[in-house]
């Protein structure tokens, strides 16, 4: 082989050996076989050689090209393999190890309770719907069949926000999640099965009332839905939530403007010991009822065709009962001692199979 070819081969092999990364390897490849590569240059110059030398040099060049192409390819594969091995070594995760930094934080009881509620209703084919905290009076009251003179509408109960335009009426911080019922019926075609957990606001502040608290609304709209479905669904929910298959559940007639008939739902407990499920006393935990025909009409649904039930619950209240928390205000004080005591590990999420 001519001297210059020998040199090119040696140089290329040395450069290949040194290349450690894909881009270094690629530089060698292009610098040799690329359009302005060294070997390509030599092939181009072939024409300037005297006729008798040309044939032999041409063959030598072609052989060298094949040889180098093979070697470059092989080195490319080696580098790829090297990179893979490196990644595998660096990215090893031992999933059986606890996180080195645990425990960093805990899940707040409000978040945990929402997760538990969502898990139970999720298994009954409900999905989660959301609505805005700042709501129109129509969504929060009027569409829900709440008359102008209803006491819930007064400033003692409801936070009003200044109107933003001349024609616009004042808006409210939603006093209940029931407005999400309205938004869902207007925005979706039945059948509907939703729950709507979220923040709610009322002008109230003491050990059992906070100006901001959480509710979870529920709504089912289907053909042929009866009070029986409501009772079965909510009994099932309460028994799963409190993890007591025989938990006593009582449906007591009540009144809400947006349901007819309406009821409050109590669970058995002992006033004396606070034990849920035991004792002869009753404790109210849910509001519910069959969706009022006027509410269905307000949302463009024909009450002769569609029926449904709705329910609402206070999330802090359920969290307090279940976890023995006595003061509602403690939920929002960000006291680390309280959070460490009542918080839930992020490594044991709510699952139905294990019970809560
Ligand atoms: N919105 C009611 C409340 O805040 C609860 C409720 C919701 C009752 C849905 C019936 C149906 O008290």
């Amino acid at each position: 082989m001519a001297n210059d070819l020998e040199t090119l081969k040696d140089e290329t092999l040395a450069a290949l050996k040194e290349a450690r990364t894909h881009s270094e390897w690629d530089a060698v490849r292009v610098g040799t076989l690329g359009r302005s590569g060294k070997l390509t240059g030599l092939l181009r110059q072939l024409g300037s050689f005297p006729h008798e030398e040309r044939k032999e040099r041409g063959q030598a060049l072609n052989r060298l090209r094949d040889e180098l192409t093979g070697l470059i390819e092989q080195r490319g594969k080696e580098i790829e393999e090297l990179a893979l091995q490196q990644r595998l070594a660096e990215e090893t995760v031992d999933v059986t190890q606890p996180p080195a930094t645990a425990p960093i934080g805990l899940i707040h009881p409000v978040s945990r309770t929402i997760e538990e509620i969502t898990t139970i209703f999720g298994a009954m084919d409900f999905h989660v719907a959301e609505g805005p905290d700042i709501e129109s009076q129509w969504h929060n009251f009027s569409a829900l069949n709440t008359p102008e003179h209803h006491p819930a509408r007064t400033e003692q109960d409801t936070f009003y926000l200044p109107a933003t335009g001349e024609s616009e009426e004042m808006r409210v911080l939603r006093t209940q999640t029931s407005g999400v019922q309205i938004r869902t019926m207007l925005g979706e075609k039945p059948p509907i099965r939703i729950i709507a957990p979220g923040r709610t606001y009322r002008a109230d502040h003491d050990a059992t009332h906070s100006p901001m608290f959480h509710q979870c609304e529920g709504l089912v709209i289907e053909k042929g839905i009866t009070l029986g479905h409501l009772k079965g669904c909510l009994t099932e929910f309460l028994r799963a939530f409190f993890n007591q298959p025989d938990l006593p559940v009582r449906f007591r007639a009540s009144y809400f403007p947006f349901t007819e008939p309406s009821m409050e739902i109590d669970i058995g407990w002992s006033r004396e010991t606070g034990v849920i499920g035991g004792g002869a006393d009753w404790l109210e935990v849910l509001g519910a009822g069959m969706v009022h025909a006027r509410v269905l009409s307000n949302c463009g649904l024909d009450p002769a065709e569609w029926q449904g039930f709705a329910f609402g619950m206070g999330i802090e209240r359920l969290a307090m009962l279940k976890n023995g928390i006595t003061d509602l205000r403690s939920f929002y004080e960000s006291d680390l001692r309280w959070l460490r005591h009542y918080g839930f590990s992020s490594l044991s999420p709510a699952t139905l199979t294990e019970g809560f």
Side-chain angles (χ1 to χ4, degrees):
M1 204 189 293
N3 258 350
D4 56 343
L5 302 198
E6 203 76 65
T7 315
L8 174 61
K9 182 177 167 183
D10 291 347
E11 276 174 10
T12 311
L13 288 184
L16 267 183
K17 212 168 157 191
E18 240 162 67
R20 287 273 175 282
T21 63
H22 179 81
S23 62
E24 283 168 7
W25 166 82
D26 203 44
V28 178
R29 185 183 66 82
V30 173
T32 312
L33 304 171
R35 242 210 268 198
S36 342
K38 288 181 190 145
L39 188 82
T40 318
L42 293 180
L43 278 163
R44 275 211 197 103
Q45 288 160 15
L46 200 56
S48 61
F49 280 78
H51 188 68
E52 49 288 4
E53 269 180 55
R54 212 183 287 167
K55 187 174 169 208
E56 202 186 323
R57 189 174 167 84
Q59 281 171 349
L61 273 170
N62 279 336
R63 272 199 305 277
L64 182 59
R65 189 186 52 198
D66 292 347
E67 191 182 353
L68 288 182
T69 304
L71 288 168
I72 287 172
E73 233 169 63
Q74 190 189 332
R75 181 66 183 152
K77 280 192 191 126
E78 278 171 24
I79 284 173
E80 231 171 73
E81 179 67 19
L82 213 68
L84 180 66
Q85 291 306 334
Q86 222 164 1
R87 273 188 56 193
L88 285 173
E90 278 167 12
E91 295 174 13
T92 305
V93 177
D94 181 352
V95 292
T96 63
Q97 290 289 314
T101 48
I104 300 178
L106 296 164
I107 306 290
H108 193 281
V110 166
S111 306
R112 169 69 184 206
T113 306
I114 291 176
E115 197 188 329
E116 292 181 7
I117 295 170
T118 309
T119 304
I120 299 170
F121 282 107
M124 293 195 259
D125 224 15
F126 283 70
H127 74 260
V128 172
E130 290 183 316
D133 289 19
I134 297 174
E135 192 53 288
S136 74
Q137 292 187 51
W138 188 78
H139 286 93
N140 194 72
F141 293 126
S142 311
L144 287 156
N145 195 35
T146 310
E148 291 295 331
H149 59 265
H150 195 283
R153 291 201 188 223
T154 66
E155 280 180 45
Q156 281 80 43
D157 281 310
T158 300
F159 292 111
Y160 282 86
L161 296 169
T164 47
E166 253 177 45
S167 60
E168 220 183 298
E169 59 159 19
M170 288 199 285
R171 288 183 297 168
V172 298
L173 290 181
R174 64 177 179 189
T175 58
Q176 52 190 357
T177 40
S178 305
V180 184
Q181 284 184 43
I182 303 301
R183 291 182 174 276
T184 306
M185 284 189 272
L186 289 172
E188 284 177 30
K189 282 205 159 55
I192 289 169
R193 270 188 216 189
I194 55 127
I195 54 166
R199 281 183 293 269
T200 45
Y201 307 83
R202 287 183 200 175
D204 237 346
H205 202 192
D206 59 37
T208 51
H209 296 91
S210 153
M212 190 281 294
F213 59 107
H214 296 75
Q215 278 194 347
C216 182
E217 193 81 10
L219 174 71
V220 172
I221 303 285
E222 280 169 41
K223 284 184 181 162
I225 288 288
T226 69
L227 198 59
H229 296 112
L230 179 160
K231 291 176 83 171
C233 174
L234 295 179
T235 303
E236 192 65 25
F237 162 70
L238 288 168
R239 290 181 172 166
F241 181 79
F242 288 105
N243 216 5
Q244 291 189 31
D246 301 319
L247 180 71
V249 177
R250 178 174 80 170
F251 293 80
R252 182 167 40 78
S254 182
Y255 172 79
F256 299 102
F258 34 88
T259 45
E260 178 61 35
S262 303
M263 60 210 65
E264 278 169 315
I265 300 161
D266 305 330
I267 54 172
W269 80 311
S270 159
R271 192 178 302 280
E272 204 184 317
T273 61
V275 172
I276 290 178
D281 304 307
W282 293 101
L283 190 65
E284 186 240 314
V285 286
L286 286 170
M290 303 305 290
V291 180
H292 197 294
R294 218 171 282 156
V295 175
L296 291 170
S297 306
N298 287 343
C299 298
L301 296 176
D302 178 1
E305 191 181 354
W306 297 102
Q307 295 76 41
F309 63 87
F311 51 91
M313 59 191 103
I315 290 174
E316 284 85 348
R317 180 164 169 74
L318 288 177
M320 285 168 83
L321 287 173
K322 188 163 164 178
N323 301 295
I325 302 170
T326 48
D327 192 333
L328 176 65
R329 290 168 292 202
S330 58
F331 278 90
Y332 317 112
E333 278 167 355
S334 300
D335 181 339
L336 271 181
R337 290 164 307 171
W338 187 90
L339 291 167
R340 285 199 186 107
H341 183 78
Y342 289 109
F344 290 83
S345 165
S346 53
L347 295 177
S348 30
T351 61
L352 267 178
T353 41
E354 285 169 24
F356 301 128

